[in-house]
Structure formats: structure tokens, C-alpha cells
Amino acid sequence: MYDPGQLLAGHRSASMLTRLVERGGRPAAVSPTIPLRAGEKQFGWFPVDVIGDDRRLAVVTSQRLVLGAESFDLRSVTGLRPRPDDWSLTLDIRGRGTVEIVGPWVPWLSVVLCAEIHGAAFPPGYAPVIPAPRRARRLVTVQ
């Protein structure tokens, strides 16, 4: 199980990154935790559950997604189907088939992958769920 704080932090980070990418920004690189290729940048690393398999460490870079011992070039990703409400992402990978990952940081990872592959926060044709605007609250002072 995941800690509720991690679920909230992952959702908040994905929302903030989505707004940044929609305004033309890019994900920020972090210090690498794996050997990188020439010109490659690492964006993050965290545990994910791979459906039909075990929990693995996911590392997302500007050129690939590393899931444990497996590495997938972003050029081989033919489809991304994010489901932020379920904290999951389904990837269609040429030569590998479908890989589905789940975890509190997967919505953030989805936005990073879409930004690197499509230059947008979501895949083409994807209709994200837009939260309703917040209502102004009337604050009452208790004396």
C-alpha cells in the first residue's frame, strides 16, 4: 500500500507540472541516479507497481523509461493512456507490447513522458478530467 501523503504529493506534483507544461515549460532535470547516455537528462525516480509483475524502481529520462532491469526507449512508445484518477498509465511499446504501471507518482511520470514525447501535458486526443473551479468560501470569525 502507499502512504496517503505520497498519494497527495504525487497528485499535487502532477497538477503543478501539467500547468507548467501547458504554459510551454519543461520538466526539470535532477541529479542522475543511473548512468546516462550522451545528452540524456534524468527527471526522477520512484517505485511503481507493474501490473502482472512486482514493484520496481522507475527512472524517467529524456530518452527512456527504465523499469527495474528493463529499459524502453521513448522512441519505441507508440501509445500512452494515462488514468490519473487511478494513478496508472498504460504504455504501448513497439516490440514489447503493453506495460501498465501504477503508483502515486505515475500521474507525474505520465506528464513527463507526454512532455518529452508529444511536447504537451497529455497525449493527442486525450481529454483530461478538469477539476471544477474552487468556490469562494466565506470565512467566519469565532470570538
Side-chain angles (χ1 to χ4, degrees):
M1 297 307 300
Y2 291 103
D3 177 87
Q6 285 291 309
L7 295 174
L8 181 61
H11 177 72
R12 185 179 306 131
S13 294
S15 297
M16 290 186 329
L17 183 58
T18 296
R19 289 190 294 273
L20 174 70
V21 171
E22 287 174 343
R23 290 190 316 264
R26 303 295 294 175
V30 299
S31 297
T33 59
I34 62 170
L36 299 177
R37 299 172 180 167
E40 187 175 28
K41 297 180 227 167
Q42 182 175 328
F43 297 118
W45 59 273
F46 42 83
V48 299
D49 292 319
V50 178
I51 301 300
D53 209 337
D54 292 331
R55 184 168 287 182
R56 297 184 188 174
L57 187 63
V59 179
V60 61
T61 76
S62 58
Q63 296 178 14
R64 59 196 162 129
L65 173 63
V66 179
L67 294 174
E70 290 185 280
S71 179
F72 307 106
D73 284 338
L74 297 188
R75 292 180 305 216
S76 66
V77 175
T78 60
L80 292 165
R81 292 185 303 281
R83 290 189 316 279
D85 293 344
D86 294 334
W87 299 293
S88 66
L89 171 67
T90 303
L91 300 109
D92 297 319
I93 302 171
R94 189 180 314 110
R96 169 58 163 81
T98 301
V99 175
E100 186 173 3
I101 57 175
V102 179
W105 290 92
V106 170
W108 177 87
L109 178 138
S110 298
V111 176
V112 171
L113 290 176
C114 288
E116 288 302 302
I117 294 170
H118 301 295
F122 300 101
Y126 178 77
V129 175
I130 307 297
R134 294 183 185 192
R135 295 182 186 190
R137 290 187 181 184
R138 219 173 123 216
L139 298 177
V140 177
T141 305
V142 178
Q143 296 184 9

